[in-house]
Amino acid sequence: MRTRLVLLSARLLDPGTGAFLPETALAVSDDGRIGALGDDREIRALAGPGTTVVDLKGAVVTPGLVDGHVHPVTGAELTHGLDLSYCADLDDVREALAREVRTLDRGAWLFGWGLDPNVFGDRPVGIAPFDTVLDGVPAFLLLFDAHSALASRRALELAGVDGPRTFAQASAEVVCDADGRPTGLLQEDAACELVERVAPRPTREESRERLAAALRAMAASGLTGGHAMDANGDSLALYGELDAAGELPLRLRVAPWCQPGTDADGVRALIAQQGTGGALWRVAGVKLFMDGTIDNGTAWLERPDCHGESTHAFWPDPDAYTRIVGELHRAGVPTATHAIGDAAVRHVLDSVEKARATGGTEVRHRVEHIETVPDDTLRRFADLGVLASMQPTHCCDFTRADHTDNWSRRLGEERASRAWRCRDLVDAGATVLLGSDWPIAPFPPLGVMAGAGHRRPSRDLGQAPHLPEQALTALEALRGMTTAPAYAAGEEHEAGRLALGYRADLTALAADPLTTPPTELPDVPVRLTAVGGRVTYRASSV
C-alpha cells in the first residue's frame, strides 16, 4: 500500500499512558490510517514519489484534538457580526454599538454577539440602556449563551412583536414589563426567531465561505474533529458541499435536533437519518434540550434561583422527552441532551435509566454542560454509562471565584460552590469529554484544555481560580479531547490513540501539553494538523 504521509523527528505522545512512545516517526497509509511506527530511517524509507514528508523537528504529536461540543455553522454565522464579548460594562457596549452604527447604511441591520449579562450589574437585562444609540436602528444582539438576545425597538417593530407570546418551548419568552410592553429581551430560540425571520440573511455562498473560513481556523488551532451540535437549516448541505469539494478540514459527527412537539414521524425521520453523510462527516446521534441557561433564568433547577426563576423544563411535558429518549435508545441512537440545572440533569439520567431497563445498554448517551449538580448525581453518570460533556472555559470566563457574577448570584452560594464539577465527575468514574461550545466560547483546543487546569478568566489569568479543586490534570484534559470523544463516538478501537491501524488524525505541537503550565498552554504553537493523513494545516516552520 502506498504511503500518504511521513512524519519524522517527532515525540509521539500516547494519551492512554501519558508517556512518549519509543518510536520517533510514523507513516500513514493511503487508507488514512497509521501504517507504520519506527525510527526516522525506517519510516523515511517508506516514502514514495507522492508522499508528503514532514520533519517535525522534535514537535509533540498527539492523536488529533477533537472538540466535544461545537456549533460550526451557527458559529460561522453569528460571529460575523459585532463582537461584544470584550465589553465589561454598559459604557463599553454603548461605545461599541455607536462605532458600528456609524458604519451602517440607512435602514441596515446591526448584528452583535457575545454580550455578557454581567455588564448590566444589578439592572434588569433589556434594551433600554441602548435605546439612544440604537434609535431607529434595527439591531439583534445575541447574549453570550446564544439562548437569548436583545432586539432594538425598531427590530421589534419590524417583527410585529408588541407583547407577550406563547411558545411550544416552555421556557421561551418575549420578556415584557409590568405594562405588557417588550423589554427587548427574547428568551430561547422560539422567541428569538420572531425577530430573526425578518432580518436579512446571508446568501448561500456567503454561508458556505464563512463556514469554510471558520473550519480552516479550527484546523490551524489544532482541531482535527468536532462533535457538531447543529444540523439545522442548510448545515448538512453545507457540510456535504465542502466535503465533496475536498474543503472539509475537520472530521465532523453531527447530531440533528429534536425539539418539543416532535411527533412519531419526526422521531422516525431522525432514526432514518443516522449514518448518512460523506467522507469526513456523518449524522450520528440526536441533540435534545432539557432546559435553557442559568444566566437568563431558563435553566431547570430543583429550587428557584434568587429571582424565583429557572423552575421549568424546556419540554412542557418532560415525560414526552423521556418517551422519545426511550424510543431512540431502542433504535440504538445515542442522545446528547443539553442539561444545565440540577433538575434537568437528574431528569436526563432518570430517562436514560428507564431506557436502559428495556435493553440496549451499550448505547452511549451524553449530558451536555452540567453546570451545577448535587453529590447524589455524580455516581449515576458512571453507573448508567452516561458521558459528561463539559466546557471548562464557560466556568473560567463567565463566572468569578468570589461569586459576584450573574450566574453565581442567581444560584446562591450553595449551588455556585458546585460549579462545573469536572474533578468530582472524573473521580466518580464518569468519562468526561471536553469542548468549547463555540461560538459561546473560543474554539482553540489548547485554551479549552488550559481552562480545565487553571479555571481562571482567560483575559486575566492573575485572578483567582473558580473552585480550583475541580481542576483536571493535564493528562485528563488531553484525554478529554482525544480518547474521550473517540469513546463517545463508539470509535475507541480506531481513533484517539497513536497505534497501528488507527486513523491518522494528528495534532503536532511545539511543546509537551502535559508539562506546559496551563496558563501558558494556549500560547503553544501548533506545528501541523492532519485528518486521515492529509495535512489540513502546516506552520511555515515545518
Side-chain angles (χ1 to χ4, degrees):
M1 186 175 288
R2 292 180 299 176
T3 300
R4 176 178 293 176
L5 173 68
V6 161
L7 300 181
L8 304 172
S9 301
R11 292 183 287 163
L12 305 177
L13 181 58
D14 176 17
T17 63
F20 288 105
L21 300 180
E23 297 86 0
T24 61
L26 65 80
V28 180
S29 304
D30 208 36
D31 61 358
R33 295 178 180 270
I34 298 174
L37 295 163
D39 62 30
D40 284 14
R41 182 187 58 79
E42 293 170 330
I43 300 302
R44 188 187 294 273
L46 300 176
T51 303
T52 300
V53 179
V54 182
D55 183 345
L56 287 175
K57 304 172 185 175
V60 175
V61 175
T62 72
L65 301 178
V66 176
D67 192 314
H69 186 121
V70 65
H71 302 267
V73 175
T74 304
E77 180 177 334
L78 295 182
T79 58
H80 190 71
L82 175 64
D83 182 1
L84 297 171
S85 64
Y86 68 90
C87 296
D89 53 35
L90 291 175
D91 286 339
D92 283 350
V93 179
R94 279 189 284 263
E95 290 175 10
L97 294 175
R99 287 194 299 270
E100 189 73 5
V101 166
R102 288 193 291 270
T103 70
L104 298 176
D105 294 332
R106 185 176 180 83
W109 281 68
L110 188 159
F111 295 97
W113 63 281
L115 181 61
D116 188 339
N118 284 301
V119 303
F120 291 88
D122 294 328
R123 297 180 58 167
V125 178
I127 201 66
F130 316 124
D131 278 343
T132 300
V133 71
L134 294 176
D135 185 27
V137 177
F140 185 82
L141 313 177
L142 197 71
L143 272 74
F144 80 82
D145 60 11
H147 281 252
S148 51
L150 293 178
S152 68
R153 308 296 178 186
R154 178 57 177 156
L156 293 170
E157 180 185 1
L158 291 172
V161 177
D162 56 8
R165 300 285 181 92
T166 301
F167 303 97
Q169 297 174 358
S171 50
E173 181 183 4
V174 175
V175 178
C176 296
D177 61 21
D179 297 320
R181 293 181 300 232
T183 66
L185 179 60
L186 306 171
Q187 306 273 46
E188 301 298 342
D189 293 336
C192 292
E193 286 171 3
L194 296 174
V195 172
E196 289 177 298
R197 66 190 181 200
V198 302
R201 303 286 298 171
T203 66
R204 178 63 172 271
E205 185 55 36
E206 287 172 335
S207 294
R208 185 182 187 278
E209 181 46 43
R210 291 176 189 176
L211 174 60
L215 293 172
R216 289 193 296 269
M218 290 180 186
S221 76
L223 284 172
T224 64
H227 293 185
M229 299 294 170
D230 54 2
N232 50 307
D234 292 332
S235 295
L236 298 183
L238 291 170
Y239 293 142
E241 288 178 17
L242 293 177
D243 192 28
E247 298 176 18
L248 193 58
L250 267 67
R251 193 183 304 275
L252 297 174
R253 184 175 188 267
V254 188
W257 289 8
C258 180
Q259 296 275 35
T262 301
D263 59 16
D265 288 341
V267 174
R268 282 193 289 270
L270 287 168
I271 294 171
Q273 200 175 17
Q274 300 299 306
T276 59
L280 287 177
W281 71 278
R282 65 184 175 91
V283 173
V286 170
K287 170 75 180 296
L288 304 99
F289 295 80
M290 204 62 246
D291 65 354
T293 68
I294 287 167
D295 277 288
N296 68 13
T298 58
W300 188 16
L301 299 173
E302 295 179 339
R303 302 191 314 276
D305 66 16
C306 70
H307 300 299
E309 298 177 334
S310 283
T311 58
H312 301 292
F314 187 76
W315 289 64
D317 178 9
D319 288 341
Y321 163 89
T322 301
R323 290 192 296 272
I324 287 177
V325 168
E327 188 169 349
L328 293 170
H329 178 87
R330 288 187 291 275
V333 178
T335 61
T337 301
H338 169 121
I340 281 178
D342 45 19
V345 174
R346 192 181 301 280
H347 188 83
V348 176
L349 294 173
D350 289 345
S351 299
V352 171
E353 186 170 19
K354 291 177 182 177
R356 282 170 55 93
T358 67
T361 57
E362 291 306 309
V363 182
R364 293 173 185 172
H365 301 286
R366 306 161 42 146
V367 182
E368 310 297 315
H369 310 310
I370 319 167
E371 293 184 5
T372 179
V373 288
D375 292 345
D376 67 348
T377 307
L378 298 171
R379 175 59 64 179
R380 297 187 69 196
F381 280 85
D383 291 345
L384 295 171
V386 174
L387 294 102
S389 174
M390 310 283 283
Q391 297 77 44
T393 44
H394 293 195
C395 180
C396 295
D397 292 340
F398 303 132
T399 69
R400 300 170 188 156
D402 62 5
H403 293 168
T404 57
D405 58 280
N406 180 61
W407 186 93
S408 299
R409 285 184 290 125
R410 274 186 174 268
L411 284 179
E413 190 63 27
E414 177 192 350
R415 288 180 293 192
S417 68
R418 303 196 300 249
W420 284 269
R421 301 180 71 173
C422 298
R423 160 60 46 215
D424 289 343
L425 281 161
V426 168
D427 288 348
T431 297
V432 174
L433 64 153
L434 303 180
S436 66
D437 198 16
W438 186 75
I440 311 307
F443 57 70
L446 296 183
V448 174
M449 292 162 57
H454 63 61
R455 294 177 69 97
R456 300 171 185 268
S458 57
R459 293 186 182 86
D460 186 359
L461 294 172
Q463 290 193 31
H466 191 172
L467 303 178
E469 66 273 16
Q470 293 298 333
L472 298 182
T473 67
L475 180 56
E476 289 165 342
L478 177 62
R479 288 171 177 167
M481 304 200 81
T482 52
T483 58
Y487 179 80
E491 298 174 343
E492 67 270 25
H493 301 300
E494 63 173 342
R497 300 289 299 274
L498 299 180
L500 295 178
Y502 276 58
R503 287 199 305 238
D505 296 353
L506 308 166
T507 302
L509 306 171
D512 182 356
L514 301 188
T515 58
T516 301
T519 54
E520 299 174 16
L521 186 58
D523 298 323
V524 170
V526 176
R527 296 300 191 211
L528 178 139
T529 51
V531 175
R534 298 190 186 281
V535 175
T536 55
Y537 170 76
R538 182 173 179 175
S540 59
S541 59
V542 296

